[in-house]
Amino acid sequence: ALETGIARRTRLDRRRRRLTRVRAAFLGGLLLGGPLFLTSSVASGASNLSQLKITFAATDRATGHRAIFTVNGDGSGLTRITPNDFGDYSWPTFAYGGSHIVFTGRHGPVGSPEQVYLMRSDGSDVRALTSTRWRNAQPQISRDGRAMVFSSQWSEYPLAGVYRMDLDTQLVTNLSAAGSEAGAIDSDPRWTPDGTRVVLASSATGSEGRPGQIVMTDADGRNRVDLTNNRFYNTDPEVSPDGSRLTISRYVGEGTPRDPNSVDEFQVKLYDFRLIVRDLAEGGAERELTAGERCFERTIAESCSPEQGPAYVPRWTPDGSGLGFVSVLSNVESCVCFIDADGGNPRRVVSSVQLAINWFDWVLPSDAPDVTAQIGSRSPADRLLFGGRGPDDRLLVEASLPDRFGELPVLPDLPVQPLNARWSADREQVVFSALVPYDVNRPQIPDPPPGDFRHRHYTLSWMSEFYFPAFERALAPLEQVFIVNTDGTGLRQLTTPWTEDHLDAIPDGEVRGNADPDISPDGRYVVFTNISTATRESFIVRLDLLTGEVFNLTNATSGALPVSDLHPRYSPDGSRIAFATTVGGNLQIATIDARDGSDYRELTDDDYVNLSPAWSPDGGSLVYASYRGGGAIQTSQSNLALAAQQGEIASEGWVLVRVDLAGDALVGGSARTLTGPEDSPVFGPTWSPDGTTIAFISLSGPPLQPDIHVVPAGGGVVRPLQVTLVTDEFWLDWR
């Protein structure tokens, strides 16, 4: 399942003493040009290994660095195919009929970022398949060349999980979290021979002390089926070519298989790992082919035979008649060894005293189609912008590909912490709100235009229920709107607690918050929710980035009537603004003309709380979050997911609703729900740029874990985009 640990053992001080002793006593002229590898004679027949091509990773005991080699099955043609650049290269596996090898590489100590690469089997034409800040391992490409599975210690899912990459798009799916948002601890992924399923070693979270078992899943990670259920640690699974048998490297010793003397979580003990062959038919029998003895304690003169030693990384021969595996035969000798599937004919295939072999693969070269040119051919141009609370409770903003797997640089080291944000249409700028202090005793009331006067906001006095907030708004004025270039330059604070339209000026002594901004498609205007602290009112206000003019769009259609408008969003062509508005005690979705706030049209008319509208890319539809549970909802919060997690509003009862527009009227006079009460709650929805998918923040649990979820734009299965166990995502944008 994991690296054998041979490599790391050799870095202990006793390594040098052993090597000195072995050189003097056994190797003679080895370092003066003698043979490095010992290879057995290869018998002809069902398992004619001489026809195979072998690749393996090994640590050079002289340098401590790991490299990748290829060799023919008869021991000829040994070639080092990775550079001698002080990097560490590992996990090589053949792909595309043996014409290519997928592997990992890193420069730095154990635990440094480790990326997946693809190269030709001669070491040329290297290309990166991952680019992350964490460690990736154990890659294998499917037989058709369209997908890759690998294990990863993603910083957002630090349990170690198994992932699937679609190689055309290079988008990544977490297979370990497909069946449960609590996730599982998975490793050692291998495709089944027909490429439709994946076998892996798994330990479910919440099952403390449960040894890892072998699991088979669909290619999307669903429909997990246990193939083993015992008290041992089962690792390194592979299904036989005919699909009838399973091979396992099983740890049968005391405690866990991890080497307690190593800092590397992938390093395991050098003994008590036995090679198992299991029939996959129900109630299938098992055969134990190796003994897992402590051969690393023997000298080379007393070395073990292959069936005596431990067995790691078992691989079936192409005809299914035998198995190759990595073993440790003495204190300095490691090997790729072979044994028949019935336990007969054990022998060394490749062995070494200078190289600590820790991973291998073999293949019968074929004329499989080379589709490597299609890798990344459909890589999407769109990006996610999202944010929330990190492990240190710091608010953060990040960008990624649409899979939310690898972060991209955005907004480095801002002096303020964004609460939510939106990209400009060209993704060159970000408009966001953040908490900033202010001095209530030093108001910064802007002057009206020359020759004009401030006309204070006026609400009909008999509407007394709007005069005082129904809930605390003392913190609202701390939230203000900013704009910044995507690279973090050009930061500007756009609003203050006294930002106002002089024709609807803030009454004396009042301060206001400004939240949930959006930027017009042409980049000239920013709209936001202007929140009163003296009444229950809130307004849709527009700021001209070119002239600085502030215009209260709400006032154009409300006059002296009290209003509660919030969550504005520009239509894709910039002509309309959708928002939520209080009507008869409920919140409905409406639109207005983006130029002057006129032409007010309500798009919903129901008894629900409807919030957070989002336009489809073609402007023909809107989706929104609708609360259909019991009890009242406080709506001044700019971030509903955060409010729900903190218990300030209900965390259940929120559904996603879609309305299709025809001249801004409801088609058929009704809206349709895309998610139901049984699905995860919906907050802050947004459309994918191609219009096929809707993403939103949802809470799963307990505990209430915020993650990005997606659903097809026409409705269907709701799933987490990625399960993140570290960051709490509270908002997102998709451009």
Side-chain angles (χ1 to χ4, degrees):
L2 311 172
E3 294 180 87
T4 64
I6 307 166
R8 304 308 174 201
R9 286 268 182 178
T10 61
R11 290 185 178 181
L12 300 176
D13 290 340
R14 60 178 176 270
R15 171 176 64 85
R16 298 187 181 278
R17 295 196 298 271
R18 284 177 181 167
L19 285 176
T20 301
R21 185 172 63 251
V22 168
R23 286 183 180 126
F26 300 109
L27 300 185
L30 179 64
L31 299 183
L32 301 177
L36 177 62
F37 285 81
L38 306 173
T39 59
S40 68
S41 60
V42 180
S44 61
S47 295
N48 192 346
L49 304 184
S50 64
Q51 298 177 10
L52 300 182
K53 188 77 172 179
I54 298 172
T55 183
F56 64 89
T59 299
D60 186 333
R61 299 180 191 274
T63 67
H65 287 286
R66 186 175 304 157
I68 295 174
F69 301 81
T70 60
V71 65
N72 296 320
D74 62 4
S76 64
L78 172 68
T79 305
R80 175 176 178 155
I81 59 172
T82 51
N84 188 12
D85 59 357
F86 302 103
D88 287 277
Y89 303 95
S90 192
W91 316 105
T93 305
F94 283 111
Y96 305 107
S99 64
H100 288 73
I101 293 172
V102 62
F103 67 103
T104 68
R106 76 166 191 267
H107 285 78
V110 172
S112 299
E114 192 163 352
Q115 306 308 325
V116 178
Y117 299 89
L118 182 70
M119 63 181 170
R120 295 190 182 278
S121 58
D122 63 1
S124 64
D125 194 20
V126 178
R127 61 163 61 176
L129 299 183
T130 65
S131 178
T132 65
R133 299 197 302 266
W134 50 85
R135 189 178 188 185
N136 305 292
Q138 301 172 319
Q140 187 195 18
I141 291 177
S142 59
R143 181 172 294 183
D144 65 5
R146 299 290 184 178
M148 177 179 72
V149 289
F150 61 102
S151 62
S152 182
Q153 291 181 304
W154 183 22
S155 54
E156 288 289 350
Y157 192 87
L159 301 174
V162 166
Y163 297 80
R164 177 183 183 273
M165 175 184 285
D166 179 290
L167 290 174
D168 286 356
T169 64
Q170 294 190 271
L171 298 181
V172 172
T173 302
N174 185 341
L175 303 189
S176 298
S180 167
E181 292 183 33
I185 304 172
D186 294 340
S187 63
D188 313 345
R190 297 290 292 183
W191 291 99
T192 57
D194 63 4
T196 63
R197 309 199 79 190
V198 177
V199 289
L200 50 86
S202 178
S203 178
T205 58
S207 301
E208 188 172 349
R210 174 182 183 263
Q213 301 299 319
I214 303 305
V215 172
M216 182 180 288
T217 79
D218 290 345
D220 61 2
R222 298 185 181 275
N223 299 319
R224 295 169 73 101
V225 176
D226 286 343
L227 300 183
T228 63
N229 184 16
N230 52 51
R231 61 186 181 87
F232 303 112
Y233 286 88
N234 301 273
T235 67
D236 288 339
E238 185 173 74
V239 175
S240 63
D242 64 1
S244 67
R245 292 165 295 171
L246 177 75
T247 183
I248 304 165
S249 174
R250 176 178 291 166
Y251 177 71
V252 298
E254 297 294 326
T256 72
R258 186 177 181 274
D259 184 348
N261 298 314
S262 173
V263 298
D264 187 351
E265 295 181 7
F266 281 90
Q267 184 171 323
V268 296
K269 296 172 182 175
L270 303 184
Y271 54 90
D272 284 339
F273 276 89
R274 299 180 184 177
L275 179 60
I276 307 295
V277 171
R278 179 183 178 89
D279 292 335
L280 286 176
E282 187 174 354
E286 288 189 349
R287 293 173 297 284
E288 189 175 278
L289 305 186
T290 64
E293 295 181 14
R294 301 171 72 97
C295 302
F296 74 96
E297 296 177 343
R298 300 188 183 190
T299 67
I300 195 168
E302 305 166 320
S303 64
C304 292
S305 59
E307 75 277 11
Q308 293 177 305
Y312 311 90
V313 202
R315 297 286 181 259
W316 290 94
T317 55
D319 62 6
S321 64
L323 294 148
F325 57 96
V326 171
S327 190
V328 181
L329 303 181
S330 75
N331 60 351
V332 292
E333 184 185 7
S334 60
C335 74
V336 174
C337 291
F338 170 84
I339 195 167
D340 287 338
D342 62 4
N345 197 26
R347 59 189 186 273
R348 295 167 173 83
V349 179
V350 178
S351 67
S352 175
V353 295
Q354 279 193 315
L355 297 175
I357 301 171
N358 47 56
W359 182 267
F360 99 103
D361 191 30
W362 56 19
V363 68
L364 183 64
S366 69
D367 294 328
D370 181 1
V371 295
T372 56
Q374 298 183 25
I375 294 177
S377 61
R378 295 192 297 114
S379 181
D382 50 306
R383 298 291 183 265
L384 288 177
L385 183 72
F386 54 90
R389 184 173 53 213
D392 56 356
D393 286 334
R394 179 177 174 81
L395 297 175
L396 53 84
V397 178
E398 292 183 344
S400 76
L401 293 173
D403 57 5
R404 173 57 178 102
F405 181 68
E407 289 90 1
L408 302 172
V410 65
L411 304 186
D413 301 324
L414 289 179
V416 290
Q417 298 180 354
L419 293 174
N420 53 47
R422 297 274 290 174
W423 255 318
S424 60
D426 59 6
R427 299 204 306 259
E428 293 296 320
Q429 292 182 300
V430 173
V431 61
F432 65 93
S433 65
L435 300 179
V436 290
Y438 70 97
D439 187 348
V440 69
N441 297 313
R442 302 180 64 181
Q444 303 171 28
I445 301 172
D447 294 328
D452 210 339
F453 298 92
R454 296 176 69 240
H455 300 271
R456 286 175 175 78
H457 175 75
Y458 173 75
T459 303
L460 293 171
S461 60
W462 54 269
M463 303 292 291
S464 57
E465 69 270 20
F466 268 84
Y467 263 57
F468 297 99
F471 40 89
E472 182 59 55
R473 282 185 170 177
L475 297 179
L478 293 172
E479 187 168 359
Q480 299 299 329
V481 176
F482 294 76
I483 194 168
V484 65
N485 297 325
T486 304
D487 62 5
T489 63
L491 177 66
R492 272 197 297 157
Q493 183 172 341
L494 299 180
T495 67
T496 73
W498 301 276
T499 294
E500 65 177 15
D501 177 352
H502 73 281
L503 296 178
D504 192 55
I506 299 175
D508 292 343
E510 184 182 347
V511 287
R512 291 184 179 177
N514 297 290
D516 201 35
D518 191 26
I519 191 167
S520 62
D522 63 4
R524 176 164 179 174
Y525 300 99
V526 171
V527 290
F528 47 88
T529 304
N530 179 249
I531 304 170
S532 172
T533 56
T535 73
R536 291 173 54 194
E537 292 179 287
S538 59
F539 315 89
I540 305 302
V541 173
R542 185 189 70 202
L543 173 68
D544 188 326
L545 294 174
L546 185 62
T547 67
E549 177 192 18
V550 177
F551 185 73
N552 190 325
L553 293 164
T554 290
N555 198 43
T557 53
S558 67
L561 292 174
V563 289
S564 181
D565 294 346
L566 63 161
H567 299 173
R569 289 291 180 264
Y570 271 103
S571 63
D573 64 3
S575 65
R576 308 280 301 172
I577 293 173
F579 61 101
T581 183
T582 299
V583 179
N586 294 310
L587 277 160
Q588 306 298 337
I589 303 300
T591 68
I592 53 176
D593 191 304
R595 294 172 299 177
D596 56 12
S598 63
D599 194 20
Y600 169 84
R601 303 182 189 182
E602 290 177 18
L603 302 184
T604 64
D605 182 14
D606 54 39
D607 296 327
Y608 305 119
V609 174
N610 303 310
L611 295 166
S612 305
W615 295 87
S616 62
D618 63 4
S621 302
L622 280 162
V623 291
Y624 56 91
S626 181
Y627 177 65
R628 303 192 172 183
I633 292 293
Q634 301 175 358
T635 57
S636 73
Q637 293 91 340
S638 64
N639 195 310
L640 296 178
L642 174 59
Q645 191 200 44
Q646 294 178 340
E648 297 174 7
I649 63 172
S651 60
E652 298 180 347
W654 295 88
V655 300
L656 182 68
V657 184
R658 172 174 173 167
V659 293
D660 296 317
L661 310 179
D664 264 347
L666 283 174
V667 173
S670 63
R672 54 190 172 117
T673 59
L674 300 184
T675 66
E678 71 281 1
D679 294 315
S680 300
V682 173
F683 302 102
T686 187
W687 293 72
S688 63
D690 64 4
T692 63
T693 305
I694 297 164
F696 53 90
I697 303 299
S698 192
L699 305 177
S700 59
L704 295 178
Q705 174 183 309
D707 280 319
I708 300 172
H709 284 58
V710 292
V711 66
V717 176
V718 177
R719 65 174 180 85
L721 186 61
Q722 295 286 358
V723 171
T724 57
L725 303 179
V726 176
T727 296
D728 292 341
E729 293 88 350
F730 291 131
W731 57 265
L732 78 155
D733 190 20
W734 198 345
R735 302 287 179 100

